[in-house]
Amino acid sequence: DSPAELAAIARTHWQLGGKGILVANPIPEDAALDPAAIGQAIERAVADAEAAGISGKRLTPFLLARLADVTGGASIRANRALAIHDAQVGAALTAALTAADRA
């Protein structure tokens, strides 16, 4: 629920011999897209990729571009908001770990 709590969990994990950690950070609510609408957009983008025979390393860039088109750019704004939030959570976790090291 807080950077300090996350830092304590991470530190305990590492003290017990754990390696990396995965922090699940949801998109901020005010940036989230309607689940039904984005689900339909994803289905459409996937169908378009299949119809065009796009697969492999070309698939992700195609899907992202199609989602941007289908959502009128809303998917780009949502992804940017998530990236910013990820950076904020990462910075807060780093600060909490640093503060714990200095204590």
Side-chain angles (χ1 to χ4, degrees), residues 15-96:
Q15 288 170 346
L16 293 172
K19 301 297 179 199
I21 61 170
L22 174 65
V23 177
N25 182 35
I27 189 167
E29 247 183 76
D30 63 341
L33 302 176
D34 174 67
I38 193 63
Q40 290 174 349
I42 291 169
E43 287 177 13
R44 181 172 168 192
V46 169
D48 291 347
E50 289 173 355
I54 296 175
S55 63
K57 66 181 180 180
R58 294 179 24 220
L59 182 60
T60 297
F62 178 87
L63 291 176
L64 291 174
R66 284 300 295 138
L67 283 173
D69 289 341
V70 170
T71 64
S75 63
I76 293 173
R77 289 186 294 277
N79 278 332
R80 283 184 183 150
L82 179 58
I84 290 167
H85 194 235
D86 285 346
Q88 291 168 334
V89 169
L93 173 57
T94 300

